[in-house]
Amino acid sequence: MEFTKKTLANAGISNKIVLVRVDFNVPLEEGKVADDTRIKAALPTINHLLGLNNALILISHLGRPGGKRDEDFSLKPVAKRLGEILDREVKFAPDCLGSAAVDAVKALKKEEILLLENTR
């Protein structure tokens, strides 16, 4: 039996803007990432897509803020930590909807990364 499903390796995704759902639901302590294991787990996918001249929009959730904006559950520290790990800028949009997110996506260039604020 032949495997016919598309994988990241054979999907031919290059020179695109790619929306990537990542699991960045990481513990924060005093506004900093306390355990970056989940961030590091996403690196092979992120690096593969960047290597194909893609721009990446990353989306994730963090915690359970109950549908209300809560700075304790912001992904901003995650964007900072990802940037440190990758040794490159990771742009951050303060919302996952609305004009701030749209403008940030429109400004994205090849091989840039944008993390949208908590999808919860």
Side-chain angles (χ1 to χ4, degrees), residues 13-77:
I13 301 170
S14 63
N15 299 303
K16 306 279 186 207
I17 298 174
V18 182
L19 180 67
V20 182
R21 186 351 187 137
V22 290
D23 182 3
F24 287 167
N25 192 21
V26 299
L28 300 177
E29 289 179 9
E30 298 180 12
K32 294 183 180 178
V33 174
D35 180 354
D36 60 13
T37 303
R38 289 182 178 188
I39 297 170
K40 289 179 177 176
L43 294 178
T45 299
I46 291 168
N47 285 325
H48 178 80
L49 290 167
L50 289 173
L52 295 172
N53 298 317
N54 294 298
L56 304 184
I57 304 165
L58 306 180
I59 59 171
S60 186
H61 70 85
L62 181 63
R64 297 185 182 276
K68 297 179 182 175
R69 185 173 302 275
D70 185 337
E71 287 301 314
D72 291 338
F73 296 108
S74 175
L75 284 167
K76 192 169 190 173

